[in-house]
Amino acid sequence: MALSVRNNMNRLFGFIQKYNFSRRSLCASVPSDKKEASVDCRVFSGIQPTGVPHLGNYLGALENWVSLQHQFPLVLYSIVDLHSITQPQDPEQLRANILDMAASLLACGIDPEKAVLFQQSQVSEHAELSWILGCLTSMPRLRHLPQWKMKSKQKSEGSVGLYTYPVLQAADILLYKSTHVPVGEDQVQHLELAQDLARIFNNSFGDLFPEPRTLLSSTRKIKSLRDPSSKMSKSDPHNMATISVTDSPDNIALKIRRAVTDFTSEVTYNPDTRPGVSNLVTIHAAMAQISVEEAVSQAKGLDTGVYKTLVTEAVIQRLTPIREEIEKLRADRTYLESVLLQGTHKARVLAAPVLKEVRHRVGFF
């Protein structure tokens, strides 16, 4: 036990020495040739603990996360449970979902030795910085952000937490002096708020935060299998609309077989006129790791019914090892908790000196 503690302390001390957290990051851009980024580059991204991710999460975010941990010297991935409680949550289910998400991230390829994987609520600096940044922005600025407009319409009235959700997002990013943030197109405006708040803070209290840049995923957005006009979502009421990364091969085959297409048998790619078929092509290309053009070429001479079998095979081949690893990790709760605890320690090492400097600059003791 003593040797294990000593080894953990040595790793943590090495982590502290590797990064000089007091300096402002000067990273300018991501290398186009995918060589290692500058030592000053830092990536942050978060995902809500909604349980096991679906295919859209995997292709739209997690696959890219795995790649980024090999390109950047410092990468932080947070299970953002503070964000999740803007909607009502069952406490026991939330705890289970946090561990399920941790298992899913590890199974998808996140390496806790290369990336800092942690639970947001365990690093209290997030909430404190969010309050300080919230005092630097205005209500009209938040009111026009898409998260509030979309969610408040669904609920007729949104919570204060939902209203200030983007400020907490900005705090998540700036707390680690992040230089790059992988986001979907629907989150770009929220990142712009983080950039604005970095500028406002720097102008008011002195240069401290870099302005984070977007890293947009190259994968096209995955659509619902039943309604290709909307994105794939776990909240979709139709159980045939979404493929979970833990779905069995039989379930995957059934869902793809019932996917909405059209009355033209030939497989072509045109999202505007043939959204259903084009969604299948997008999925096929992404899962087979080929271009859309190559996917269409492989479908030449096949009708959409037969093509669905080809898509099914590509999805099952990629997801089967992930599903099996998730099942294995779910059975080892102690390991999952230890990974998150280790990540929390590393995140606190990063966050504490930044918040200390923020507190001093705004006038706190």
Side-chain angles (χ1 to χ4, degrees):
M1 176 67 75
L3 180 61
S4 175
V5 171
R6 189 179 305 116
N7 288 339
N8 285 337
M9 290 301 295
N10 287 339
R11 281 199 296 268
L12 186 58
F13 182 69
F15 178 79
I16 294 170
Q17 284 188 315
K18 185 177 179 182
Y19 303 105
N20 177 4
F21 299 126
S22 63
R23 60 184 173 163
R24 180 180 178 229
S25 172
L26 299 174
C27 178
S29 61
V30 184
S32 59
D33 58 0
K34 293 190 177 180
K35 293 180 181 178
E36 278 200 6
S38 161
V39 70
D40 288 316
C41 291
R42 299 179 183 181
V43 172
F44 177 91
S45 195
I47 187 168
Q48 289 200 31
T50 55
V52 174
H54 57 68
L55 185 63
N57 299 140
Y58 175 66
L59 293 175
L62 304 186
E63 188 179 44
N64 189 38
W65 283 17
V66 174
S67 176
L68 292 173
Q69 71 184 350
H70 300 293
Q71 297 176 37
F72 287 83
L74 180 55
V75 176
L76 300 103
Y77 296 137
S78 180
I79 300 175
V80 288
D81 48 347
L82 291 176
H83 289 290
S84 71
I85 63 171
T86 57
Q87 304 295 326
Q89 301 283 341
D90 174 80
E92 288 302 319
Q93 187 60 54
L94 178 58
R95 279 187 279 271
N97 285 348
I98 290 168
L99 293 180
D100 271 353
M101 183 56 73
S104 300
L105 294 175
L106 295 171
C108 287
I110 299 303
D111 182 351
E113 296 300 320
K114 293 183 179 295
V116 180
L117 176 60
F118 70 102
Q119 185 181 344
Q120 178 195 32
S121 65
Q122 298 302 305
V123 183
S124 60
E125 287 85 352
H126 286 257
E128 186 170 350
L129 182 58
S130 177
W131 175 259
I132 293 170
L133 295 178
C135 294
L136 299 178
T137 192
S138 67
M139 293 176 66
R141 180 72 172 86
L142 298 181
R143 199 177 298 127
H144 289 93
L145 291 172
Q147 186 78 17
W148 171 255
K149 289 194 288 187
M150 178 181 68
K151 297 286 187 179
S152 60
K153 282 180 181 177
Q154 294 173 354
K155 297 277 184 180
S156 71
E157 280 189 24
S159 68
V160 173
L162 182 63
Y163 191 78
T164 59
Y165 178 109
V167 180
L168 179 57
Q169 262 189 335
D172 296 337
I173 296 164
L174 298 182
L175 183 59
Y176 302 100
K177 295 186 176 180
S178 308
T179 59
H180 293 84
V181 182
V183 295
E185 292 178 359
D186 56 344
Q187 290 291 319
V188 170
Q189 283 186 274
H190 289 178
L191 184 59
E192 289 172 353
L193 177 66
Q195 294 166 337
D196 289 346
L197 286 170
R199 283 192 292 269
I200 291 169
F201 186 96
N202 291 342
N203 290 337
S204 300
F205 303 107
D207 202 27
L208 180 63
F209 296 118
E211 293 180 24
R213 295 167 178 245
T214 58
L215 289 175
L216 289 174
S217 171
S218 59
T219 301
R220 293 174 175 85
K221 190 175 294 183
I222 304 302
K223 305 292 187 177
S224 163
L225 296 179
R226 301 301 299 169
D227 178 11
S229 66
S230 60
K231 68 179 182 179
M232 186 173 286
S233 171
K234 185 170 291 188
S235 61
D236 195 308
H238 201 299
N239 60 8
M240 291 288 109
T242 302
I243 296 175
S244 167
V245 297
T246 54
D247 275 349
S248 68
D250 286 346
N251 277 341
I252 292 171
L254 178 62
K255 289 177 180 181
I256 293 177
R257 188 162 62 246
R258 293 187 178 177
V260 169
T261 53
D262 52 40
F263 296 107
T264 303
S265 61
E266 183 185 6
V267 176
T268 59
Y269 184 80
N270 190 321
D272 293 330
T273 60
R274 306 192 69 196
V277 174
S278 298
N279 190 40
L280 292 177
V281 173
T282 297
I283 293 171
H284 177 207
M287 298 305 274
Q289 297 179 302
I290 58 178
S291 67
V292 165
E293 292 75 19
E294 176 61 21
V296 173
S297 177
Q298 289 186 15
K300 189 174 182 180
L302 305 179
D303 63 31
T304 53
V306 177
Y307 180 62
K308 286 180 177 181
T309 303
L310 192 62
V311 178
T312 298
E313 291 172 355
V315 173
I316 291 173
Q317 184 175 356
R318 286 289 296 279
L319 292 188
T320 294
I322 294 174
R323 185 190 73 251
E324 292 173 348
E325 184 65 14
I326 289 173
E327 291 171 355
K328 175 183 172 184
L329 289 167
R330 275 173 158 173
D332 194 348
R333 180 187 177 111
T334 301
Y335 172 70
L336 294 174
E337 290 176 343
S338 71
V339 168
L340 292 178
L341 182 60
Q342 180 188 42
T344 294
H345 288 325
K346 291 180 178 180
R348 284 174 176 164
V349 168
L350 289 164
V354 175
L355 185 64
K356 182 179 179 180
E357 181 63 23
V358 169
R359 288 174 58 87
H360 172 73
R361 293 197 185 197
V362 301
F364 298 158
F365 287 106

